[in-house]
Amino acid sequence: MSIFLWLLFLPAVLCQLSSGSLQKFPNALALGNSFDPIIAAYWTGLPHHRRTPFSVSPDGKSAYLAYLSTSYSSVFIQQVDPSTFAAVGKPVEISGAREAGGLVARNDGFAVLVNLDNSQTEHPISTIIRYKGGSKAWTRPINGPGVHESQGLSSSPDMNGDLVYSEAAGLYAAYVVVTGKFPANTPGPWAKRSTVAYTGDAKGHFGDSIQYVTDAGELKVINGASSTFGCSHNTGIALEEADAPPFASVCAEDHGAIWLNTKTQYMSGVKIANENATNGVSGEPMGGMSGSYSCLALFPGSSTYIFAWQSRGAVRLTQDDWMGAGYTASSPRWLNHNVAISMTKDKSTLQGPEAISNVGAASGDDQVTWITKSETTDHQNVRVAALDGSNAIVTWEELSNPHCQPVPLSCTGTFTGTFFQQVDSQGKKVGEAISAKDVFVSGDMQRIAGKGVCWPYVSTEWDLSGPKDKGTPVSSMSFACIGGGSGGGGGTPASTTQNPTVTPSQTAPPSTVPSDTVTENAAPSTMSPAPTNTDDNPPTVPTMSGSTRTRMTRSSRSPPEETPTTDPSNTPVSCDGQTECPEGYRCFAFQGGYAGCVPAGWGP
């Protein structure tokens, strides 16, 4: 093991975060090509940071950043000087790539996970490409034509995945979203999002896949580790390396749970949390579109992982009749999101109890470790990275005066800052959170010797007040680092604020979250003020009498050029027995009872 890696294992000389802990390097990297920093969330059209995968080589001498060009058809990989974040040489261009979904820096180059056009398919294929010494060494598709044909072919209209590498195992692992095909007669925008006519039991559905590739670029099928189709409608993927397969993995599905599914690669295993969900919508706990990164981190030199996500809590557990015994659905404790973490003993075992599956239970989130527990602010873009062998940094964005949708979608509000909280390897908070309004997290958080944890971001005015399908193109990338010691990172100290955080024992007084909810009664649905959100009086989730749960084939993702709008073809318009849907649409009852207008040919 290199001296550099051993240095990373040593605890940082850091008592707790302070105003000098956060260093920024504004516009340090000239990209050479333009980049759109925003990608719209599928259901809501709300802006998300478009991910820029970032990775540092094991010897610490080089780093790489990947980004999608504004043509939305090429991914560039730029070598970066980890001491200054300046560009080194010219970028590598991968033409026909629609998404940069993961990046691993090696001492002799890099491997990148991209969504690559394929002449035999309508939609792109998840592909790992390895470069050594400046030249392409191999290309390995992990789905698409000829890949796992006997188990059913798939493509990835939006990959929304991640890539990791284990030097001990000599293996890459990729965790990506996959899908089958919508019926050929599907009307409206759904038809444009259909995939090629793939086969198998998963045909017509969205799930995820975990695949392993050797150092030589060969796809390696590993019993108990590889998976061709796992969690349903996964809008949250977390993957981290381990010394041997299966690697540590977490998925969020649309039936009502988040799973540590290392051993199962499916929506089963160890239940981390109950979460309110509806068919096709899991609530973006790990960031949703372009968000599957820096949610699961390994403390170096140990077998302990930390997982972080945004949660609305869970109350009133009911039976999930579709999945059967052992599966539950829940209502949200709040309409806004809070920051939650879970600690593991190893890649498949939690430190504490798993979430309960007791039908009838009034509370379903007592096992959660809350970093925040507020009823008046929303928390989004939750990330985590291990600072050293005993400390981690949890970060999130905060919105004041949130307006939150009762269906598990998202919230709008006034952006008040990006927050950073230090926690130890037992999940306990160390000191108070600090915040900054001019620093964001929009790429992988990586350790750099002498700097702490560093990540890329775009210097911009961040607006979360409403939908936005694209941003202003930029040609430079900023970086920030935290935990390297006061002034020790060589950057400019960020303007920060010390912020006391609310713990579970310091719950804020009851207050109303600004949101429209639909109350449940036999009469047609009407809008009413949001209820007071206390632990004993959680928000009411809209329900519909006589609704039945039906499996959906709805995509939870869309290509960049197809931005969600308020049209009913993208955001379901509420409907009931007396409110008709537009021509060509029908009323569809989602899990939890919410009913919305969907294309007439969509669904079973």
Side-chain angles (χ1 to χ4, degrees), residues 274 314-319 328-331 356-364:
N274 291 296
V315 296
R316 295 197 299 264
L317 300 192
T318 58
Q319 178 67 55
T328 54
S330 67
S331 295
I356 63 172
S357 298
N358 301 337
V359 174
S363 178

Side-chain angles (χ1 to χ4, degrees), residues 115-473:
N115 222 6
L116 197 62
D117 286 340
N118 187 294
S119 61
Q120 301 178 56
T121 63
E122 181 181 354
H123 284 299
I125 300 302
S126 297
T127 306
I128 303 173
I129 302 175
R130 173 78 159 102
Y131 272 76
K132 290 184 180 181
S135 300
K136 185 188 296 184
W138 48 259
T139 299
R140 176 54 56 194
I142 60 171
N143 63 351
V147 180
H148 306 303
E149 188 167 3
S150 64
Q151 299 177 52
L153 299 174
S154 67
S155 64
S156 300
D158 289 283
M159 184 171 54
N160 208 31
D162 205 6
L163 177 71
V164 299
Y165 177 76
S166 168
E167 190 168 0
L171 290 170
Y172 297 91
Y175 198 176
V176 299
V177 169
V178 296
T179 183
K181 177 188 180 296
F182 288 118
N185 62 351
T186 303
W190 272 265
K192 293 188 289 184
R193 295 189 180 103
S194 64
T195 64
V196 295
Y198 283 172
T199 59
D201 293 339
K203 180 180 178 181
H205 301 288
F206 272 79
D208 56 36
S209 173
I210 302 175
Q211 300 296 328
Y212 290 83
V213 174
T214 68
D215 272 323
E218 298 299 322
L219 192 64
K220 185 174 183 178
V221 178
I222 304 172
N223 291 332
S226 301
S227 146
T228 56
F229 200 91
C231 295
S232 171
H233 285 265
N234 189 343
T235 52
I237 281 174
L239 181 68
E240 186 57 279
E241 67 167 285
D243 286 343
F247 292 176
S249 60
V250 176
C251 85
E253 32 86 345
D254 65 343
H255 281 257
I258 297 177
W259 301 94
L260 179 62
N261 65 343
T262 303
K263 289 186 175 181
T264 66
Q265 302 89 54
Y266 183 65
M267 44 201 293
S268 62
V270 180
K271 187 191 277 192
I272 294 176
N274 291 296
E275 291 288 338
N276 176 247
T278 194
N279 284 4
V281 185
S282 68
E284 301 184 335
M286 286 98 102
M289 285 289 286
S290 202
S292 298
Y293 65 94
S294 296
C295 295
L296 179 66
L298 173 65
F299 286 90
S302 76
S303 62
T304 299
Y305 296 80
I306 178 173
F307 170 63
W309 75 102
Q310 65 182 49
S311 173
R312 301 198 303 166
V315 296
R316 295 197 299 264
L317 300 192
T318 58
Q319 178 67 55
D320 182 343
D321 294 327
W322 180 260
M323 291 298 294
Y327 290 85
T328 54
S330 67
S331 295
R333 186 175 293 277
W334 318 281
L335 294 183
N336 60 301
H337 305 84
N338 277 288
V339 181
I341 63 170
S342 181
M343 311 299 299
T344 77
K345 293 180 180 178
D346 53 45
K347 64 183 180 181
S348 57
T349 310
L350 298 178
Q351 287 186 11
E354 65 178 296
I356 63 172
S357 298
N358 301 337
V359 174
S363 178
D365 58 11
D366 294 343
Q367 86 292 346
V368 173
T369 299
W370 298 104
I371 298 299
T372 68
K373 203 171 185 182
S374 168
E375 299 166 349
T376 58
T377 56
D378 190 54
H379 307 81
Q380 302 181 13
N381 197 34
V382 177
R383 306 289 166 202
V384 66
L387 181 62
D388 52 48
S390 57
N391 293 281
I393 302 296
V394 180
T395 177
W396 65 91
E397 292 173 1
E398 195 161 291
L399 283 70
S400 63
N401 302 314
H403 182 94
C404 301
Q405 303 178 35
V407 176
L409 295 173
S410 192
C411 303
T412 56
T414 301
F415 173 72
T416 58
T418 302
F419 288 69
F420 303 89
Q421 174 68 60
Q422 182 183 345
V423 299
D424 65 20
S425 57
Q426 301 300 309
K428 296 180 180 179
K429 290 192 285 188
V430 179
E432 296 179 347
I434 64 172
S435 68
K437 295 193 68 172
D438 59 349
V439 174
F440 319 97
V441 178
S442 58
D444 302 62
M445 302 177 74
Q446 297 281 305
R447 292 186 300 277
I448 297 179
K451 283 184 165 61
V453 171
C454 303
W455 63 90
Y457 70 98
V458 171
S459 296
T460 185
E461 293 291 328
W462 193 231
D463 181 8
L464 293 170
S465 61
K468 191 171 186 179
D469 61 350
K470 60 180 61 178
T472 302

Side-chain angles (χ1 to χ4, degrees), residues 31-57:
L31 296 178
N33 300 276
S34 58
F35 168 70
D36 179 357
I38 286 178
I39 184 170
Y42 181 73
W43 281 98
T44 63
L46 295 176
H48 287 186
H49 298 287
R50 188 183 298 274
R51 178 186 179 185
T52 48
F54 176 61
S55 184
V56 180
S57 63

